[in-house]
Coordinates of all heavy atoms in Angstrom, one line a residue:
M1 N 8.1 33.8 30.8 CA 7.9 32.4 30.8 C 6.7 32.1 29.8 O 5.6 32.8 29.9 CB 7.5 31.9 32.2 CG 7.3 30.4 32.3 SD 6.9 30.1 34.0 CE 7.3 28.4 34.1
A2 N 6.8 31.1 29.0 CA 5.8 30.8 28.0 C 4.6 30.2 28.7 O 4.7 29.5 29.8 CB 6.3 29.8 27.0
A3 N 3.4 30.3 28.1 CA 2.2 29.8 28.7 C 2.3 28.2 28.5 O 2.8 27.7 27.6 CB 0.9 30.3 28.0
S4 N 1.8 27.5 29.6 CA 1.8 26.1 29.5 C 0.8 25.5 28.5 O -0.4 26.0 28.5 CB 1.5 25.5 30.9 OG 1.4 24.1 30.9
K5 N 1.2 24.5 27.8 CA 0.2 24.0 26.8 C -0.6 22.9 27.4 O -1.7 22.6 26.9 CB 1.0 23.4 25.6 CG 1.8 24.5 24.9 CD 2.3 24.0 23.6 CE 2.9 25.2 22.8 NZ 3.4 24.8 21.5
I6 N -0.2 22.3 28.5 CA -1.0 21.3 29.2 C -1.4 21.9 30.6 O -0.5 22.3 31.4 CB -0.3 20.0 29.3 CG1 -0.1 19.4 27.9 CG2 -1.1 19.0 30.2 CD1 0.6 18.1 27.8
K7 N -2.7 21.8 31.0 CA -3.1 22.4 32.3 C -3.9 21.3 33.0 O -4.4 20.4 32.4 CB -4.0 23.6 32.0 CG -3.2 24.7 31.3 CD -4.1 26.0 31.1 CE -3.4 27.0 30.2 NZ -3.0 28.2 30.9
K8 N -4.1 21.6 34.3 CA -4.9 20.7 35.2 C -6.3 20.6 34.6 O -6.9 21.7 34.2 CB -4.9 21.4 36.5 CG -5.7 20.5 37.6 CD -5.6 21.2 38.9 CE -6.4 20.4 39.9 NZ -6.4 21.0 41.2
G9 N -6.8 19.4 34.5 CA -8.2 19.2 34.0 C -8.2 18.8 32.5 O -9.3 18.5 32.0
D10 N -7.1 19.0 31.8 CA -7.1 18.6 30.4 C -7.2 17.1 30.2 O -6.7 16.3 31.0 CB -5.8 19.1 29.7 CG -5.8 20.6 29.5 OD1 -6.9 21.2 29.6 OD2 -4.7 21.1 29.2
Q11 N -7.9 16.7 29.1 CA -7.9 15.3 28.7 C -6.6 15.1 27.8 O -6.3 15.8 26.9 CB -9.1 15.0 27.8 CG -10.3 14.7 28.6 CD -10.2 13.4 29.4 OE1 -10.4 13.5 30.6 NE2 -10.0 12.3 28.8
V12 N -5.8 14.1 28.2 CA -4.5 13.8 27.5 C -4.5 12.3 27.1 O -5.1 11.5 27.7 CB -3.3 14.2 28.4 CG1 -3.2 15.7 28.6 CG2 -3.3 13.4 29.7
V13 N -3.6 12.1 26.1 CA -3.3 10.7 25.6 C -1.9 10.5 25.9 O -1.0 11.3 25.6 CB -3.6 10.6 24.1 CG1 -3.3 9.2 23.6 CG2 -5.0 11.0 23.8
V14 N -1.6 9.2 26.4 CA -0.2 8.9 26.7 C 0.5 8.4 25.4 O -0.1 7.6 24.7 CB -0.1 7.8 27.7 CG1 1.3 7.4 28.0 CG2 -0.7 8.2 29.0
L15 N 1.6 8.9 25.0 CA 2.3 8.7 23.7 C 3.3 7.5 23.8 O 3.5 6.8 22.8 CB 3.0 9.9 23.2 CG 2.1 11.1 23.0 CD1 3.0 12.4 22.7 CD2 1.1 10.9 22.0
S16 N 3.9 7.2 25.0 CA 4.8 6.2 25.0 C 4.9 5.6 26.4 O 4.4 6.1 27.4 CB 6.2 6.7 24.7 OG 6.7 7.6 25.6
G17 N 5.5 4.4 26.5 CA 5.7 3.7 27.8 C 4.6 2.6 28.0 O 3.9 2.3 27.1
K18 N 4.5 2.1 29.2 CA 3.7 1.0 29.5 C 2.2 1.3 29.3 O 1.3 0.4 29.1 CB 3.9 0.4 30.9 CG 3.6 1.4 32.0 CD 3.8 0.8 33.4 CE 3.4 1.8 34.4 NZ 3.6 1.4 35.8
D19 N 1.8 2.6 29.4 CA 0.4 3.0 29.3 C 0.1 3.7 28.0 O -0.9 4.4 27.9 CB 0.1 4.0 30.5 CG 0.1 3.3 31.8 OD1 -0.4 2.2 31.9 OD2 0.7 3.9 32.8
K20 N 0.9 3.4 27.0 CA 0.8 4.0 25.7 C -0.7 3.8 25.1 O -1.2 2.7 25.2 CB 1.7 3.4 24.7 CG 1.6 4.0 23.3 CD 2.7 3.4 22.4 CE 2.5 3.9 21.0 NZ 3.6 3.4 20.1
G21 N -1.2 4.9 24.7 CA -2.6 4.9 24.1 C -3.7 5.2 25.1 O -4.8 5.4 24.7
R22 N -3.4 5.1 26.4 CA -4.5 5.4 27.4 C -4.7 6.9 27.6 O -3.9 7.7 27.3 CB -4.0 4.7 28.7 CG -4.0 3.2 28.7 CD -3.7 2.6 30.0 NE -4.7 2.9 30.9 CZ -4.6 2.6 32.2 NH1 -3.5 2.0 32.7 NH2 -5.6 2.9 33.1
T23 N -5.9 7.2 28.0 CA -6.3 8.6 28.2 C -6.7 8.8 29.6 O -7.0 7.9 30.3 CB -7.5 9.0 27.3 OG1 -8.6 8.2 27.6 CG2 -7.2 8.8 25.8
G24 N -6.6 10.0 30.0 CA -6.9 10.4 31.4 C -6.9 11.9 31.5 O -6.6 12.6 30.6
T25 N -7.3 12.3 32.7 CA -7.4 13.7 33.1 C -6.2 14.1 33.9 O -5.8 13.4 34.8 CB -8.7 14.0 33.9 OG1 -9.8 13.5 33.1 CG2 -8.8 15.5 34.1
V26 N -5.6 15.3 33.6 CA -4.5 15.7 34.3 C -4.9 16.3 35.7 O -5.8 17.1 35.8 CB -3.8 16.9 33.5 CG1 -2.6 17.5 34.3 CG2 -3.2 16.4 32.2
S27 N -4.3 15.7 36.7 CA -4.7 16.2 38.1 C -3.7 17.1 38.7 O -4.0 17.8 39.6 CB -4.9 15.0 39.0 OG -3.7 14.2 39.1
K28 N -2.5 17.1 38.1 CA -1.4 18.0 38.7 C -0.4 18.3 37.6 O 0.0 17.3 36.9 CB -0.8 17.3 39.9 CG 0.2 18.2 40.7 CD 0.7 17.5 41.9 CE 1.6 18.4 42.7 NZ 2.1 17.7 43.9
V29 N 0.1 19.5 37.5 CA 1.2 19.8 36.6 C 2.3 20.4 37.4 O 2.1 21.3 38.3 CB 0.7 20.9 35.6 CG1 1.8 21.3 34.6 CG2 -0.5 20.4 34.8
M30 N 3.5 19.9 37.1 CA 4.7 20.4 37.8 C 5.7 21.0 36.7 O 6.6 20.2 36.2 CB 5.4 19.3 38.5 CG 4.5 18.7 39.6 SD 5.2 17.3 40.4 CE 4.4 16.0 39.4
P31 N 5.5 22.3 36.3 CA 6.2 22.8 35.2 C 7.7 22.9 35.5 O 8.5 22.7 34.5 CB 5.7 24.2 35.0 CG 4.9 24.5 36.2 CD 4.5 23.2 36.9
K32 N 8.2 23.1 36.7 CA 9.6 23.2 37.0 C 10.3 21.8 36.8 O 11.4 21.8 36.4 CB 9.8 23.7 38.5 CG 9.6 25.1 38.7 CD 9.9 25.6 40.1 CE 9.6 27.1 40.2 NZ 9.9 27.5 41.6
D33 N 9.6 20.8 37.1 CA 10.1 19.4 36.9 C 9.9 18.9 35.6 O 10.4 17.8 35.2 CB 9.6 18.5 38.0 CG 9.9 18.9 39.4 OD1 10.9 19.6 39.6 OD2 9.1 18.6 40.3
G34 N 9.0 19.5 34.8 CA 8.6 19.0 33.5 C 7.8 17.7 33.6 O 7.9 16.8 32.8
K35 N 6.9 17.6 34.6 CA 6.1 16.4 34.8 C 4.6 16.7 35.0 O 4.2 17.8 35.4 CB 6.6 15.7 36.1 CG 8.0 15.2 35.9 CD 8.5 14.3 37.0 CE 9.9 13.8 36.8 NZ 10.1 12.8 35.8
V36 N 3.8 15.7 34.8 CA 2.3 15.8 35.0 C 1.9 14.5 35.7 O 2.6 13.5 35.6 CB 1.6 16.0 33.7 CG1 1.8 17.3 33.1 CG2 1.8 14.8 32.8
V37 N 0.8 14.6 36.4 CA 0.2 13.5 37.1 C -1.2 13.3 36.4 O -2.0 14.2 36.3 CB 0.0 13.6 38.6 CG1 -0.7 12.5 39.2 CG2 1.4 13.8 39.3
V38 N -1.4 12.1 35.8 CA -2.6 11.8 35.1 C -3.4 10.7 35.8 O -2.8 9.7 36.2 CB -2.3 11.3 33.7 CG1 -3.6 11.1 32.9 CG2 -1.4 12.3 32.9
D39 N -4.7 11.0 36.1 CA -5.5 10.0 36.9 C -5.6 8.7 36.1 O -5.9 8.6 35.0 CB -6.9 10.6 37.1 CG -6.9 11.8 38.0 OD1 -6.0 11.8 38.9 OD2 -7.8 12.6 37.9
G40 N -5.3 7.6 36.9 CA -5.4 6.2 36.3 C -4.3 5.8 35.4 O -4.4 4.7 34.8
V41 N -3.3 6.6 35.3 CA -2.2 6.3 34.3 C -0.9 6.3 35.1 O -0.7 7.2 36.0 CB -2.1 7.3 33.2 CG1 -1.0 7.0 32.3 CG2 -3.4 7.2 32.4
N42 N 0.1 5.4 34.8 CA 1.3 5.3 35.5 C 1.1 5.2 37.0 O 1.7 5.8 37.8 CB 2.2 6.6 35.2 CG 3.6 6.4 35.6 OD1 4.2 5.3 35.6 ND2 4.3 7.5 36.0
V43 N 0.3 4.1 37.3 CA -0.1 3.9 38.7 C 1.1 3.1 39.4 O 1.5 2.0 38.9 CB -1.4 3.1 38.8 CG1 -1.6 2.8 40.3 CG2 -2.5 3.9 38.2
A44 N 1.6 3.6 40.5 CA 2.7 3.0 41.3 C 2.1 2.4 42.5 O 1.2 2.9 43.1 CB 3.7 4.1 41.7
A45 N 2.6 1.2 42.8 CA 2.1 0.4 44.0 C 3.2 0.5 45.1 O 4.4 0.3 44.8 CB 1.9 -1.0 43.6
R46 N 2.8 0.9 46.3 CA 3.7 1.0 47.4 C 3.2 0.0 48.4 O 2.0 0.0 48.8 CB 3.6 2.4 48.0 CG 4.0 3.5 47.1 CD 5.5 3.7 47.2 NE 5.9 4.8 46.4 CZ 6.4 4.7 45.1 NH1 6.6 3.5 44.6 NH2 6.8 5.8 44.5
H47 N 4.1 -0.9 48.8 CA 3.8 -1.9 49.8 C 4.0 -1.3 51.2 O 5.2 -0.9 51.5 CB 4.7 -3.1 49.6 CG 4.4 -3.8 48.3 ND1 3.6 -4.9 48.2 CD2 4.8 -3.5 47.1 CE1 3.6 -5.3 47.0 NE2 4.2 -4.5 46.2
R48 N 3.0 -1.3 52.0 CA 3.1 -0.6 53.3 C 3.0 -1.6 54.5 O 2.2 -2.5 54.4 CB 1.9 0.3 53.5 CG 1.8 1.4 52.4 CD 2.9 2.5 52.6 NE 2.7 3.5 51.7 CZ 3.5 4.5 51.4 NH1 4.7 4.5 52.0 NH2 3.2 5.4 50.5
K49 N 3.9 -1.5 55.4 CA 3.9 -2.3 56.6 C 2.7 -1.9 57.5 O 2.3 -0.7 57.5 CB 5.1 -2.1 57.4 CG 6.3 -2.8 56.9 CD 7.5 -2.6 57.9 CE 8.7 -3.5 57.5 NZ 9.8 -3.3 58.5
P50 N 2.2 -2.8 58.3 CA 1.1 -2.4 59.3 C 1.7 -1.4 60.3 O 2.8 -1.5 60.8 CB 0.8 -3.7 60.0 CG 1.2 -4.8 59.0 CD 2.4 -4.2 58.3
T51 N 0.9 -0.3 60.6 CA 1.3 0.7 61.5 C 0.2 0.9 62.5 O -0.9 0.3 62.2 CB 1.7 2.0 60.8 OG1 0.5 2.5 60.2 CG2 2.9 1.8 59.9
Q52 N 0.3 1.8 63.5 CA -0.8 2.0 64.4 C -1.9 2.8 63.6 O -3.1 2.6 63.9 CB -0.3 2.9 65.6 CG 0.4 2.0 66.5 CD 0.9 2.8 67.8 OE1 0.9 4.0 67.8 NE2 1.1 2.1 68.9
V53 N -1.5 3.7 62.6 CA -2.5 4.4 61.9 C -3.2 3.5 60.9 O -4.4 3.6 60.7 CB -1.8 5.6 61.1 CG1 -2.8 6.3 60.2 CG2 -1.1 6.5 62.1
N54 N -2.4 2.6 60.3 CA -3.0 1.7 59.3 C -2.6 0.2 59.8 O -1.7 -0.3 59.3 CB -2.5 2.0 57.9 CG -3.0 1.1 56.9 OD1 -4.0 0.3 57.1 ND2 -2.5 1.1 55.7
P55 N -3.4 -0.3 60.7 CA -3.0 -1.7 61.2 C -3.1 -2.8 60.2 O -2.4 -3.8 60.4 CB -4.0 -1.9 62.4 CG -5.0 -0.9 62.2 CD -4.6 0.2 61.4
Q56 N -3.8 -2.6 59.2 CA -4.0 -3.7 58.1 C -2.7 -3.8 57.2 O -2.4 -4.8 56.8 CB -5.2 -3.4 57.3 CG -5.5 -4.4 56.2 CD -5.9 -5.8 56.8 OE1 -6.5 -5.9 57.9 NE2 -5.5 -6.8 56.1
G57 N -2.1 -2.6 57.0 CA -1.0 -2.5 56.0 C -1.6 -2.7 54.6 O -2.7 -2.4 54.3
G58 N -0.8 -3.3 53.7 CA -1.3 -3.6 52.4 C -0.6 -2.8 51.3 O 0.5 -2.3 51.5
I59 N -1.2 -2.8 50.2 CA -0.6 -2.1 49.0 C -1.4 -0.9 48.7 O -2.6 -0.9 48.5 CB -0.6 -3.1 47.8 CG1 0.1 -4.4 48.1 CG2 -0.1 -2.4 46.5 CD1 -0.1 -5.5 47.0
D60 N -0.7 0.3 48.6 CA -1.3 1.5 48.2 C -1.0 1.8 46.8 O 0.2 1.7 46.4 CB -0.8 2.7 49.0 CG -1.2 2.6 50.5 OD1 -2.2 1.9 50.8 OD2 -0.6 3.3 51.4
R61 N -2.0 2.1 46.0 CA -1.8 2.4 44.6 C -2.2 3.9 44.3 O -3.2 4.3 44.8 CB -2.7 1.5 43.7 CG -2.3 0.1 43.8 CD -3.2 -0.8 42.9 NE -3.2 -2.2 43.2 CZ -2.2 -3.0 43.1 NH1 -1.0 -2.6 42.6 NH2 -2.3 -4.3 43.5
A62 N -1.2 4.6 43.7 CA -1.5 6.0 43.4 C -0.7 6.3 42.1 O 0.3 5.8 41.8 CB -0.9 6.9 44.5
P63 N -1.3 7.3 41.3 CA -0.7 7.7 40.1 C 0.6 8.5 40.4 O 0.6 9.3 41.3 CB -1.7 8.6 39.4 CG -2.7 9.0 40.4 CD -2.6 7.9 41.5
A64 N 1.7 8.1 39.7 CA 3.0 8.8 39.8 C 3.2 9.8 38.7 O 2.6 9.7 37.6 CB 4.1 7.7 39.8
P65 N 4.0 10.8 39.0 CA 4.3 11.8 37.9 C 5.0 11.1 36.7 O 5.7 10.1 36.8 CB 5.3 12.7 38.6 CG 5.2 12.5 40.1 CD 4.8 11.1 40.2
M66 N 4.7 11.7 35.6 CA 5.4 11.2 34.3 C 5.8 12.4 33.5 O 5.3 13.5 33.7 CB 4.4 10.3 33.5 CG 3.2 10.9 33.0 SD 2.0 9.8 32.3 CE 2.9 8.9 31.2
A67 N 6.8 12.2 32.6 CA 7.3 13.3 31.8 C 6.2 14.0 31.0 O 5.4 13.2 30.4 CB 8.4 12.8 30.9
I68 N 6.2 15.3 30.9 CA 5.2 16.0 30.2 C 5.3 15.7 28.7 O 4.3 15.8 27.9 CB 5.3 17.5 30.5 CG1 3.9 18.2 30.2 CG2 6.4 18.2 29.8 CD1 3.8 19.6 30.9
A69 N 6.5 15.3 28.2 CA 6.7 15.0 26.9 C 6.0 13.7 26.4 O 5.9 13.5 25.2 CB 8.2 15.0 26.5
K70 N 5.7 12.9 27.4 CA 5.1 11.6 27.1 C 3.6 11.7 26.9 O 2.9 10.7 26.6 CB 5.4 10.6 28.2 CG 6.8 10.1 28.2 CD 7.0 9.1 29.2 CE 8.3 8.5 29.0 NZ 8.3 7.0 29.0
V71 N 3.0 12.9 27.1 CA 1.5 13.0 26.9 C 1.2 14.1 25.9 O 2.0 15.0 25.7 CB 0.8 13.4 28.2 CG1 1.0 12.2 29.2 CG2 1.3 14.7 28.8
A72 N 0.1 14.0 25.2 CA -0.4 15.0 24.3 C -1.9 15.3 24.5 O -2.6 14.4 25.0 CB -0.2 14.6 22.9
I73 N -2.3 16.5 24.3 CA -3.7 16.8 24.5 C -4.5 16.0 23.6 O -4.2 15.8 22.4 CB -3.9 18.3 24.2 CG1 -3.1 19.2 25.2 CG2 -5.3 18.7 24.2 CD1 -3.8 19.9 26.3
A74 N -5.7 15.5 24.1 CA -6.6 14.8 23.2 C -7.5 15.8 22.5 O -8.0 16.7 23.0 CB -7.5 13.9 24.1
D75 N -7.6 15.6 21.1 CA -8.3 16.5 20.3 C -9.8 16.5 20.7 O -10.4 15.4 20.9 CB -8.2 16.0 18.8 CG -8.7 17.1 17.8 OD1 -9.7 17.7 18.1 OD2 -8.0 17.2 16.8
P76 N -10.4 17.6 20.9 CA -11.8 17.7 21.3 C -12.8 17.0 20.4 O -13.8 16.5 20.7 CB -12.1 19.1 21.5 CG -10.8 19.8 21.5 CD -9.8 19.0 20.8
K77 N -12.4 16.9 19.1 CA -13.3 16.4 18.1 C -13.3 14.8 18.1 O -14.3 14.2 18.1 CB -12.8 16.9 16.7 CG -13.9 17.0 15.7 CD -13.5 17.8 14.5 CE -14.7 18.4 13.9 NZ -14.3 19.3 12.8
D78 N -12.1 14.2 18.1 CA -12.0 12.8 18.0 C -11.2 12.1 19.1 O -11.2 10.8 19.1 CB -11.5 12.4 16.6 CG -10.0 12.9 16.3 OD1 -9.5 13.4 17.3 OD2 -9.5 12.7 15.2
G79 N -10.6 12.7 20.0 CA -10.0 12.1 21.1 C -8.5 11.7 20.8 O -7.9 11.1 21.7
K80 N -8.1 11.9 19.6 CA -6.7 11.5 19.2 C -5.7 12.5 19.6 O -6.1 13.7 19.8 CB -6.6 11.2 17.7 CG -7.4 10.1 17.2 CD -7.3 9.8 15.8 CE -8.1 8.6 15.3 NZ -8.1 8.4 13.9
P81 N -4.4 12.2 19.8 CA -3.5 13.2 20.3 C -3.3 14.3 19.2 O -3.3 14.0 18.0 CB -2.2 12.4 20.4 CG -2.4 11.0 19.9 CD -3.9 10.8 19.7
T82 N -3.0 15.5 19.7 CA -2.8 16.6 18.8 C -1.8 17.6 19.5 O -1.7 17.5 20.7 CB -4.1 17.3 18.5 OG1 -3.9 18.4 17.6 CG2 -4.8 17.9 19.7
R83 N -1.2 18.4 18.7 CA -0.4 19.4 19.2 C -1.2 20.7 19.5 O -2.4 20.7 19.1 CB 0.7 19.8 18.2 CG 1.7 18.7 17.9 CD 2.8 19.1 17.0 NE 2.4 19.9 15.9 CZ 2.2 19.5 14.7 NH1 2.3 18.3 14.4 NH2 1.8 20.4 13.7
V84 N -0.7 21.6 20.2 CA -1.5 22.8 20.6 C -0.8 24.0 20.1 O 0.5 24.1 20.2 CB -1.6 22.8 22.1 CG1 -2.3 24.1 22.6 CG2 -2.3 21.6 22.7
R85 N -1.5 25.0 19.6 CA -1.0 26.3 19.3 C -1.9 27.4 20.0 O -3.0 27.1 20.4 CB -0.9 26.6 17.8 CG -2.2 26.7 17.1 CD -2.0 27.2 15.7 NE -3.3 27.0 14.9 CZ -3.5 26.1 14.0 NH1 -2.5 25.3 13.7 NH2 -4.6 26.0 13.5
F86 N -1.3 28.6 20.1 CA -2.1 29.7 20.7 C -2.6 30.6 19.6 O -1.8 30.9 18.7 CB -1.2 30.4 21.7 CG -0.9 29.6 23.0 CD1 0.3 28.9 23.1 CD2 -1.8 29.6 24.0 CE1 0.6 28.1 24.2 CE2 -1.5 28.8 25.1 CZ -0.3 28.1 25.2
E87 N -3.8 31.0 19.7 CA -4.4 32.0 18.8 C -5.1 33.0 19.6 O -5.5 32.8 20.8 CB -5.3 31.3 17.8 CG -4.6 30.5 16.8 CD -5.6 29.9 15.8 OE1 -6.9 30.2 15.8 OE2 -5.2 29.1 14.9
E88 N -5.4 34.2 19.0 CA -6.2 35.2 19.6 C -7.6 35.1 19.0 O -7.7 35.4 17.8 CB -5.6 36.6 19.5 CG -6.1 37.5 20.5 CD -5.3 38.8 20.6 OE1 -4.1 38.6 20.8 OE2 -5.8 39.9 20.5
R89 N -8.6 34.8 19.7 CA -10.0 34.8 19.3 C -10.8 35.6 20.1 O -10.8 35.4 21.4 CB -10.5 33.3 19.2 CG -9.8 32.4 18.2 CD -10.4 31.1 18.0 NE -9.6 30.4 17.0 CZ -9.9 29.1 16.7 NH1 -10.9 28.5 17.3 NH2 -9.2 28.5 15.8
D90 N -11.6 36.5 19.6 CA -12.4 37.5 20.3 C -11.6 38.2 21.4 O -12.1 38.4 22.5 CB -13.6 36.7 21.0 CG -14.4 36.0 20.0 OD1 -14.6 36.5 18.8 OD2 -14.9 34.9 20.3
G91 N -10.4 38.6 21.0 CA -9.5 39.3 21.9 C -9.0 38.6 23.1 O -8.4 39.1 24.0
K92 N -9.1 37.2 23.1 CA -8.6 36.4 24.1 C -7.6 35.4 23.5 O -7.8 34.9 22.4 CB -9.7 35.6 24.8 CG -10.6 36.3 25.8 CD -11.6 35.4 26.4 CE -11.5 35.6 27.9 NZ -12.5 34.7 28.5
K93 N -6.5 35.1 24.3 CA -5.6 34.1 23.9 C -6.0 32.8 24.3 O -6.4 32.5 25.5 CB -4.2 34.4 24.6 CG -3.1 33.5 24.2 CD -1.8 34.0 24.9 CE -0.7 33.1 24.5 NZ 0.6 33.4 25.3
V94 N -6.3 31.9 23.3 CA -6.8 30.6 23.6 C -5.9 29.5 23.0 O -5.2 29.7 22.1 CB -8.3 30.4 23.0 CG1 -9.3 31.3 23.7 CG2 -8.3 30.7 21.5
R95 N -6.1 28.3 23.6 CA -5.3 27.1 23.0 C -6.2 26.5 22.0 O -7.4 26.3 22.2 CB -5.0 26.1 24.1 CG -4.1 26.7 25.2 CD -3.8 25.7 26.3 NE -5.0 25.3 27.0 CZ -5.2 24.2 27.7 NH1 -4.2 23.4 27.8 NH2 -6.4 24.0 28.3
V96 N -5.6 26.1 20.8 CA -6.3 25.5 19.7 C -5.6 24.2 19.3 O -4.4 24.2 19.3 CB -6.2 26.5 18.5 CG1 -6.9 25.9 17.3 CG2 -6.9 27.9 18.9
A97 N -6.4 23.2 19.0 CA -5.9 21.9 18.6 C -5.4 22.1 17.1 O -6.2 22.6 16.3 CB -6.9 20.8 18.7
V98 N -4.2 21.7 16.9 CA -3.6 21.9 15.5 C -4.4 21.0 14.5 O -4.7 21.5 13.4 CB -2.1 21.5 15.5 CG1 -1.6 21.5 14.1 CG2 -1.4 22.5 16.4
K99 N -4.8 19.8 14.9 CA -5.4 18.9 13.9 C -6.8 19.4 13.4 O -7.1 19.4 12.2 CB -5.6 17.5 14.5 CG -4.4 16.5 14.3 CD -4.8 15.2 14.8 CE -3.6 14.2 14.6 NZ -3.8 12.9 15.2
S100 N -7.6 19.7 14.4 CA -9.0 20.1 14.0 C -9.3 21.6 14.0 O -10.3 22.0 13.5 CB -10.0 19.4 15.0 OG -9.8 19.9 16.3
G101 N -8.5 22.4 14.7 CA -8.7 23.8 14.8 C -9.7 24.2 15.8 O -10.1 25.3 16.0
E102 N -10.2 23.2 16.6 CA -11.1 23.4 17.8 C -10.4 24.1 18.9 O -9.3 23.8 19.2 CB -11.7 22.1 18.2 CG -12.4 21.3 17.2 CD -13.9 21.6 17.3 OE1 -14.5 21.8 18.4 OE2 -14.6 21.5 16.2
T103 N -11.1 24.9 19.6 CA -10.5 25.6 20.8 C -10.6 24.5 22.0 O -11.6 23.8 22.1 CB -11.2 26.9 21.2 OG1 -12.6 26.5 21.4 CG2 -11.1 27.9 20.2
I104 N -9.5 24.5 22.8 CA -9.4 23.7 23.9 C -10.0 24.4 25.1 O -10.6 23.8 26.0 CB -8.0 23.2 24.1 CG1 -7.6 22.3 22.9 CG2 -7.9 22.4 25.4 CD1 -6.1 22.1 22.8
D105 N -9.7 25.7 25.3 CA -10.2 26.5 26.4 C -11.7 26.8 26.1 O -12.1 27.1 24.9 CB -9.4 27.7 26.6 CG -8.0 27.5 26.9 OD1 -7.7 26.6 27.7 OD2 -7.1 28.1 26.3
G106 N -12.5 26.8 27.1 CA -13.9 27.1 26.9 C -14.2 28.5 26.4 O -14.3 29.1 25.5

């Protein structure tokens, strides 16, 4: 299996959809489904009836999964979307931003 190009904690830019251009941090990656959850992006509202646990009821807002193809890693240099390639530096396999050549992994 190939190494994932997007990982939890990465800064990403949304490429298409209602949140196009917004940036956020990846909070969850689901490689089998090809989806990611990005904080503050693709927020879904669920209307909840009052229950004994939550007597007030109301609207719950939470980020929903979105297709991994709709996001790109934000370039560490300027924050714009970039592709990712793998290189070996100092004997370690690291992710590198194609645009600037900066390493994404610490």
Side-chain angles (χ1 to χ4, degrees):
M1 183 182 203
S4 176
K5 293 190 176 184
I6 296 179
K7 298 181 188 250
K8 182 178 177 178
D10 285 345
Q11 277 295 120
V12 294
V13 180
V14 179
L15 300 176
S16 65
K18 64 180 182 179
D19 294 314
K20 180 178 179 177
R22 294 185 60 191
T23 60
T25 306
V26 175
S27 60
K28 187 175 183 182
V29 180
M30 298 174 267
K32 285 185 179 176
D33 301 330
K35 296 191 180 285
V36 292
V37 177
V38 182
D39 291 332
V41 177
N42 195 30
V43 177
R46 299 274 183 260
H47 296 260
R48 303 287 186 192
K49 281 184 172 180
T51 62
Q52 286 185 337
V53 175
N54 182 10
Q56 182 67 31
I59 303 170
D60 291 343
R61 298 184 196 288
M66 61 191 308
I68 204 164
K70 289 187 172 229
V71 299
I73 297 252
D75 195 316
K77 210 169 206 175
D78 60 7
K80 292 183 179 175
T82 183
R83 296 187 318 264
V84 176
R85 72 170 166 253
F86 291 94
E87 287 183 4
E88 197 164 312
R89 295 189 179 174
D90 301 325
K92 286 182 123 180
K93 184 177 178 182
V94 294
R95 295 180 300 158
V96 177
V98 171
K99 271 189 181 173
S100 64
E102 300 264 328
T103 58
I104 295 166
D105 300 318

